[in-house]
């Protein structure tokens, strides 16, 4: 085989490799059809269920035996008819407190200052769960979109891309799921494919869909949560 023929074969192989990589990239950029979620609950938000404490024992009931009256002891060396003085524990404590001078009092230790709590960090999840509805046909679907993955098409027109999805930290007052979405409109089946026209770009909040939602005369869409 001549060197010229070898050179031509090498050039052809390199061309096929480059074209194959381009086709693969183009396929990854194409949106895929939305698939309904089978278990929409899943891991949408942080699990707040707590296992009950185990090994706990109930406190035994207090004894209900009757209290017997105890007569004060008598002094055998005292003369008959001499009254016996009974000193109660309260009287002994009061007598000791009177004998202690004020300068001998000990100050109670001051409680140590509590360290400042470290703010929690939000956890990022690889999948966002989205709810979309067609207000004309009343078609509604809950589907998943992978963060940074292939776009997902709803109702042959609406295209969703997710850039981030995270859940609230443990020290936040409200449990929430937040996702950064890019939504575009691109009808499928047209003769000349065109780039999707973007109609939304920004953060959506699962707890407050009306704060930053999709505004479109035909479609409504909002974030339901994030899944691991």
């Amino acid at each position: 085989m001549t060197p010229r023929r070898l050179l031509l074969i090498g050039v052809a192989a390199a061309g096929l490799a480059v074209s194959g990589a381009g086709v693969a990239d183009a396929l990854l950029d194409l949106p895929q059809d939305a698939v309904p979620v089978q278990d929409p609950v899943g891991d949408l938000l942080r699990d707040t269920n707590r296992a009950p404490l185990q090994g706990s024992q109930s406190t035994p009931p207090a004894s209900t035996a009757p209290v017997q009256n105890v007569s004060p002891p008598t002094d055998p060396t005292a003369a008959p008819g001499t009254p016996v003085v009974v000193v109660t524990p309260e009287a002994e404590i009061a007598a000791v407190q009177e004998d202690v001078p004020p300068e001998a009092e000990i100050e109670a230790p001051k409680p140590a200052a509590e360290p400042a709590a470290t703010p929690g960090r939000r956890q990022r999840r690889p999948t966002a769960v989205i709810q979309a509805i067609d207000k004309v046909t009343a078609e509604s679907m809950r589907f998943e979109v992978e963060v940074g993955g292939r776009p997902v098409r709803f109702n042959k027109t609406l295209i969703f891309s997710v850039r981030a999805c995270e859940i609230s930290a443990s020290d936040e007052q409200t449990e929430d799921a937040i996702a950064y979405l890019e939504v575009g409109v691109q009808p499928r089946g047209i003769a000349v494919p065109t780039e999707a026209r973007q109609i939304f770009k920004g953060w959506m909040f699962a707890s407050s869909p009306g704060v930053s939602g999709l505004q479109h005369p035909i479609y409504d869409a909002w974030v339901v949560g994030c899944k691991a």
Side-chain angles (χ1 to χ4, degrees), residues 189-211:
I190 58 178
V192 181
T194 58
E195 186 177 358
R197 178 173 58 88
Q198 191 175 83
I199 59 176
F200 178 84
K201 181 179 181 180
W203 292 94
M204 284 189 179
F205 303 87
S207 62
S208 303
V211 173

Side-chain angles (χ1 to χ4, degrees), residues 62-70:
S63 176
T64 58
V67 179
Q68 300 180 358
N69 296 328
V70 180

Side-chain angles (χ1 to χ4, degrees), residues 83-196:
V84 179
V85 180
V86 179
V87 181
T88 61
E90 292 79 5
E92 292 182 358
I93 296 174
V96 173
Q97 291 179 350
E98 291 179 356
D99 295 338
V100 177
E103 56 272 9
E105 295 180 357
I106 301 175
E107 296 182 358
K110 297 181 179 180
E114 296 182 358
T118 304
R121 297 184 59 183
R122 291 184 173 181
Q123 300 180 11
R124 294 208 166 188
R125 301 295 172 85
T127 305
V129 181
I130 300 173
Q131 181 87 25
I133 183 173
D134 187 335
K135 293 183 285 187
V136 177
T137 62
E139 179 184 357
S140 178
M141 183 185 296
R142 181 173 295 187
F143 52 91
E144 299 178 359
V145 181
E146 184 180 358
V147 176
R150 290 182 60 183
V152 175
R153 186 191 302 270
F154 167 73
N155 199 18
K156 302 180 181 181
T157 303
L158 217 56
I159 299 177
F160 293 85
S161 298
V162 179
R163 304 305 177 189
C165 193
E166 56 189 28
I167 60 176
S168 54
S170 58
D171 57 349
E172 296 188 29
Q173 296 181 356
T174 305
E175 294 185 358
D176 201 357
I178 308 99
Y180 191 87
L181 270 68
E182 294 179 358
V183 185
V185 175
Q186 184 186 37
R188 184 170 58 180
I190 58 178
V192 181
T194 58
E195 186 177 358

Side-chain angles (χ1 to χ4, degrees), residues 8-99:
L8 292 176
I9 294 175
V11 171
L16 290 175
V18 172
S19 62
V23 171
D25 294 339
L27 291 176
L28 290 177
D29 293 336
L30 292 177
Q32 56 185 346
D33 293 336
V35 179
V37 177
Q38 300 297 332
D39 182 14
V41 180
D43 191 17
L44 302 183
L45 298 175
R46 184 176 57 259
D47 185 9
T48 57
N49 295 329
R50 295 292 183 268
L53 296 178
Q54 298 181 357
S56 59
Q57 299 180 354
S58 58
T59 305
S63 176
T64 58
V67 179
Q68 300 180 358
N69 296 328
V70 180
S71 302
T74 58
D75 189 358
T77 60
T82 304
V84 179
V85 180
V86 179
V87 181
T88 61
E90 292 79 5
E92 292 182 358
I93 296 174
V96 173
Q97 291 179 350
E98 291 179 356
D99 295 338

